[in-house]
Amino acid sequence: MDKPQLCRWTRNKILEFEWSPFETLDKLVISSNLRDHFTQRLSAFLIEKSHLHSLKLPWRYGMFLFGPSGSGKTAASRGLAQHLKWSHYTIPEHEILDSHLFEKSLHDAISKNQRVIVLDNIDQMLSRMEPEVFFTLLDHAMERAEGSLWIATTRHAENVPKTQLIRPGRFDESIRFEQPSKDLRIQMLIQVFDWERISEEGSSLSEWVEMTQGLTFSHFEEMRQIVARARARELDPHATLAEIKSFVEDQVIAGDRLGGISDQTEILMDRVQQVDPRVLTAALNMTDVFKVLIEKTIGDAAERSKLMKDEEP
């Protein structure tokens, strides 16, 4: 059996990467219930091969993973591959511009068995071709994908036709990835910090639990890295605590752990792209007019205020 690979499909070639020793299911930062579900599901999948073959069905399974950015979807797919000791093969949405590229990527994906095949941000792929074409190509590939685990991910489940996606033979179950609950945030904060030292600085666990509401698993991993590096360099605990507080505040305000536009901004961009360009041009012209009017109004008000002050005895 070949060594499991970590692959990423591109239009030019298939890229290969080295595995991290921490990309295993047991080290995955997710809820214990979800970890147990994955373990049980994979155990059942591994013993289903002969039964499925007796029914003249290919040995494969599909999972639809959805949730906010940084909630662990991609990390979970890698952990599943590590648990199976299979290769991990990602088809990223930005490489799929049309149905031709989608068909080519699927052909390459099923060229070998014992692979975890990930359709990353499947909602974006679907938006670039007719749904009928998309599912026809997908079904054709899946029927020939013996020994495969298929995973589709998205941050926008509302944009995915679930009745077409979640069905036997395509993706058999859907799993929601959520932000850490209060109890889970407590556990992770205890793992990240030395609470005796934190309490000496006047901070309490409850304050940090409240402060980190809305953050994702990835945020906690980044906090852990800040603490680890600070301790390795024996930095001042006061400075480290201040740095982490600043990090948390920035992330809560930004909303998007990727440091870019938020999900809401992306939705707004999609809506703008669907608007007639003539309407957008008119809106820009109106914006320029409005800007001039505002500047004139402010200028007039300032001038009146100045005159009134000059007239005061």
Side-chain angles (χ1 to χ4, degrees):
M1 180 179 172
D2 295 335
K3 179 182 177 181
Q5 298 175 313
L6 182 60
C7 304
R8 189 175 185 85
W9 188 87
T10 73
R11 280 164 276 177
N12 297 323
K13 63 179 181 179
I14 297 173
L15 304 177
E16 294 185 16
F17 303 89
E18 293 295 325
W19 285 97
S20 162
F22 308 109
E23 293 179 308
T24 57
L25 196 58
D26 62 311
K27 295 178 181 177
L28 195 63
V29 185
I30 55 174
S31 70
S32 56
N33 289 339
L34 187 53
R35 193 193 323 276
D36 292 343
H37 173 77
F38 281 139
T39 303
Q40 294 169 9
R41 181 58 258 177
L42 293 183
S43 297
F45 173 64
L46 288 172
I47 63 175
E48 289 173 351
K49 181 177 180 179
S50 58
H51 179 68
L52 290 172
H53 284 176
S54 68
L55 298 174
K56 299 181 180 180
L57 294 172
W59 179 41
R60 69 170 188 271
Y61 194 75
M63 295 180 178
F64 174 51
L65 311 183
F66 65 99
S69 174
S71 56
K73 302 182 295 296
T74 300
S77 69
R78 293 181 181 178
L80 294 170
Q82 288 275 56
H83 191 82
L84 291 168
K85 295 182 172 58
W86 286 8
S87 293
H88 184 278
Y89 188 98
T90 299
I91 302 176
E93 54 87 12
H94 64 266
E95 293 286 350
I96 306 301
L97 305 180
D98 53 36
S99 58
H100 172 72
L101 289 171
F102 185 52
E103 185 173 24
K104 186 178 186 303
S105 68
L106 291 174
H107 175 270
D108 294 340
I110 64 173
S111 61
K112 295 181 181 180
N113 58 10
Q114 296 193 357
R115 274 182 171 176
V116 175
I117 302 171
V118 182
L119 305 182
D120 196 27
N121 288 326
I122 193 172
D123 58 303
Q124 293 297 310
M125 296 183 188
L126 274 162
S127 69
R128 293 167 188 162
M129 63 193 86
E130 291 295 328
E132 183 179 353
V133 173
F134 177 91
F135 285 111
T136 297
L137 296 176
L138 181 64
D139 288 342
H140 184 269
M142 282 185 154
E143 288 168 2
R144 289 152 182 80
E146 171 65 19
S148 60
L149 176 65
W150 292 74
I151 295 178
T153 70
T154 183
R155 290 184 293 164
H156 303 290
E158 68 277 8
N159 295 335
V160 177
K162 298 180 190 61
T163 56
Q164 293 176 278
L165 191 74
I166 312 302
R167 58 196 305 175
R170 286 179 181 166
F171 294 89
D172 302 87
E173 64 172 322
S174 62
I175 299 174
R176 178 182 178 84
F177 278 68
E178 299 179 340
Q179 295 167 335
S181 64
K182 179 179 178 180
D183 290 341
L184 198 52
R185 292 203 305 279
I186 291 173
Q187 295 176 28
M188 289 190 291
L189 285 168
I190 291 174
Q191 292 173 8
V192 168
F193 294 112
D194 178 353
W195 280 107
E196 291 184 2
R197 178 162 51 183
I198 292 294
S199 61
E200 292 173 1
E201 303 299 327
S203 296
S204 67
L205 180 58
S206 60
E207 290 173 344
W208 277 89
V209 171
E210 184 68 24
M211 189 189 311
T212 54
Q213 183 176 357
L215 297 188
T216 65
F217 291 99
S218 293
H219 287 124
F220 282 92
E221 173 59 22
E222 289 159 1
M223 290 165 60
R224 188 178 71 85
Q225 292 182 26
I226 294 173
V227 173
R229 290 192 176 96
R231 289 178 180 169
R233 291 176 288 174
E234 298 182 349
L235 298 181
D236 181 5
H238 294 79
T240 304
L241 187 61
E243 180 182 356
I244 296 173
K245 279 188 175 180
S246 177
F247 168 80
V248 170
E249 290 169 355
D250 289 345
Q251 298 305 314
V252 170
I253 292 171
D256 184 1
R257 66 167 297 272
L258 300 178
I261 57 179
S262 69
D263 291 350
Q264 293 301 316
T265 307
E266 288 185 348
I267 293 172
L268 179 59
M269 286 177 63
D270 290 340
R271 290 178 179 174
V272 169
Q273 290 171 1
Q274 296 172 16
V275 175
D276 190 313
R278 292 170 295 182
V279 176
L280 294 177
T281 302
L284 289 174
N285 292 336
M286 288 300 296
T287 300
D288 290 339
V289 172
F290 184 71
K291 180 180 177 182
V292 172
L293 289 173
I294 289 295
E295 290 175 345
K296 185 177 184 304
T297 301
I298 293 174
D300 291 346
E303 185 64 27
R304 286 195 300 271
S305 177
K306 183 175 180 301
L307 290 174
M308 291 175 63
K309 288 183 178 179
D310 292 341
E311 293 173 358
E312 289 179 356

